[in-house]
Amino acid sequence: MKTVLLHVNRDAGQDSRLAAAIDLVRDHKGLLICLQATSWNSYVFIGDPYGASYISPEALQSVRDAENEDRQLIESRLAQEGVEWEWRRVEGSAGQALAAHATLADLVVISQPEQKDAVLPRAAPLAADLVVHIQSPSLVVPLGGKRFAPRGNAIIAWNGSAEAGHAVRLSRSLLRDAAEVHIVTVSEDKEGSSPDELAQYLARHGIEAQTRRQPAEDASISEALVAAANDVGAAYIVLGAYGHSRIRETILGGVTREMILHSPIPMILAH
């Protein structure tokens, strides 16, 4: 994880995801790219009698002042943390900007959505949209989360799917540094390779892993995964995202949707 792309935005999750990104970059001696995207759709435009619209100079200056203040605060902290970084400011939606700049990123750091964003029909807009449009894995940081522990215990949510396999392959450099790796299966549905086959695959890459069957009983799969993570003291969960249609998950519910909205543990997601 030598190049980490961080979503910069003045919101409830910024402090937590900044701390997680710093922990990752410091641990891997990499570069942190801070991406500050301004979407003008969030601001009120003034219209004229001819149908044109524009943002007032005062409002524009207020936006720029807030952006500059955020940059100064974050760069001051980064200087104290002793990590290497660069700053990029672009105009456009956060999702489009992150997707465009993720081409050469090893990991993209974003936040769990606030509860006001966790409603139909567009649950978890940034996390959900981004993970299906980029080839890099995404680290989804819970709101108010603690410092990220790159060398802590990790669990892999395994169902043998192509998405789960992709998430594991993209996370090998992280898993190699984990104190313990636990392969957790919950659902009886098996789409491909078994947990034992995954353990053998990881062993060929120098990663020792234990397999674990987590009974769901009366819990959902997402609840069972969180319970397994708590049992082993996991610092993060590796999860293949959207084995089912994203629209289906939004309407009917699904593991990815529930984990994005409610997981108290950081997740590495890939589709």
Side-chain angles (χ1 to χ4, degrees), residues 133-198:
H133 287 112
I134 64 174
Q135 294 300 306
S136 307
S138 297
L139 170 60
V140 181
V141 181
L143 297 177
K146 300 177 182 179
R147 298 297 296 246
F148 185 65
R151 296 180 183 271
N153 295 344
I155 74 167
I156 300 170
W158 187 250
N159 63 358
S161 67
E163 293 80 11
H166 191 214
V168 169
R169 291 193 302 275
L170 292 177
S171 304
R172 284 200 308 256
S173 63
L174 270 176
L175 293 170
R176 195 172 291 114
D177 291 335
E180 297 177 1
V181 176
H182 298 263
I183 301 167
V184 177
T185 56
V186 178
S187 174
E188 295 291 349
D189 298 333
K190 293 181 175 59
E191 302 182 29
S193 301
S194 70
D196 289 337
E197 289 176 296
L198 174 58

Side-chain angles (χ1 to χ4, degrees), residues 92-112:
S93 71
Q96 291 175 335
L98 287 165
H101 288 257
T103 305
L104 294 177
D106 298 314
L107 187 72
V108 180
V109 181
I110 55 179
S111 288
Q112 196 175 55

